[in-house]
Amino acid sequence: MHFQWYPGHMAKAKRSMQEDIKLIDVVIELVDARIPISSMNPDINTLAKNKSRVILLNKADMADQRYNNAWKEYFETKGYFASLVNSKSGTGVKQVQDIVNKACQAKIERDRKRGILNRPVRAMIVGIPNVGKSTFINSFVGRASTKTGNKPGVTKGKQWIRLSKTVELLDTPGILWPKFEDQSVGLKLALIGSINDNIVNTTDLSLEMILLLQKNYPNVLVERYGIESFADDLDIKGASKLLEQIAIKRSCLLKGGEPDVDRAAGLLVDDFRSTKLGNITLEFPPVIAKETPNT
Ligand code: G4P
């Protein structure tokens, strides 16, 4: 499966983010808790050099709970402030204020030493499409905030939302476009719906998804669709056979009674996206070496 991915408006969006980020002290990056690495955009490391960094593992409710905390720890060991969030229900959103405050401390301290007092720290939310930026901002900002309006000369045309006495948030999130050479990254991004479905062949996508599930969640399809269990070393041909089985079980049939694999593929991808297959994580945190306490 091969993806071509060249959104035309990408260069413009990147330029505008480059401008915005100059005004920012803290970058809050939303990633998808099911694919935390593939849903990051490596460009942000250059764009946000020398800024405090917060990583929010959003859609934590859709991910496999067994890995959520390990991912959080992983990012903390890499020097980020990190937290798990469900922006849709609001779980974990309130705690983000504390994390942002902590991420701002160094900047506030630096300002204080230079005699700058009461200058608000500025934050910006960034993330790839569909990761939940708007949902998060709505939930995070809630009703408590007040828009501070334009500040002529300094931040022309920008709207800032006051989050607390010390922190202001740029009200428009920065969109980072997915970036990948590795096709397996593209596959995961397509599965979570961050790549436009028009450029992806759903049947191919579902076959790759079957292979991924087979490796990490071998019972999920058997349980959901009541199909026969399948071989450990499933290949793409085996995945096609399995999709046919799903089509038959779900009565996705063509006029002649043949299995309608394309329809079954759509169903399978939808079932993944709506968590009908359960909470599934598609990327796993590297094992984090824990220090053994000296007792
Ligand atoms: P974006 O601005 O980054 O592009 O993403 P947006 O907020 O539009 O969110 C994309 C979809 O993800 C929305 O679903 C939203 O409800 C959902 N979403 C965002 N955060 C979370 C989360 O933490 N958990 C869950 N379960 N879902 C989340 P949608 O189907 O497009 O819209 P809607 O039907 O929910 O309104």
Side-chain angles (χ1 to χ4, degrees), residues 25-148:
D25 306 302
V26 179
V27 175
I28 304 169
E29 182 175 4
L30 261 73
V31 299
D32 190 304
R34 296 166 296 174
I35 54 165
I37 301 292
S38 294
S39 57
M40 295 180 94
N41 177 317
D43 281 345
I44 194 71
N45 288 332
T46 322
L47 287 171
K49 218 169 163 194
N50 305 324
K51 315 277 179 191
S52 276
R53 302 281 295 276
V54 174
I55 287 274
L56 299 180
L57 293 140
N58 194 40
K59 306 198 184 184
D61 56 304
M62 300 176 92
D64 188 336
Q65 308 302 324
R66 290 176 298 170
Y67 305 108
N68 280 349
N69 276 321
W71 270 122
K72 175 176 173 295
E73 282 179 34
Y74 168 82
F75 284 108
E76 284 168 350
T77 59
K78 297 271 172 197
Y80 295 93
F81 294 86
S83 200
L84 296 161
V85 177
N86 170 358
S87 300
K88 199 166 178 173
S89 72
T91 309
V93 171
K94 221 171 121 201
Q95 288 85 323
V96 176
Q97 179 71 58
D98 270 355
I99 290 162
V100 173
N101 284 340
K102 275 190 202 140
C104 295
Q105 272 319 307
K107 169 75 183 161
I108 292 170
E109 197 50 31
R110 268 201 312 276
D111 278 355
R112 198 182 58 79
K113 282 192 180 137
R114 289 161 59 205
I116 305 167
L117 297 175
N118 302 326
R119 174 196 170 284
V121 174
R122 295 204 163 134
M124 179 183 185
I125 306 228
V126 301
I128 62 170
N130 206 39
V131 75
K133 296 176 295 299
S134 323
T135 312
F136 173 74
I137 291 177
N138 285 340
S139 175
F140 187 44
V141 169
R143 281 188 223 113
S145 67
T146 46
K147 295 210 170 182
T148 57

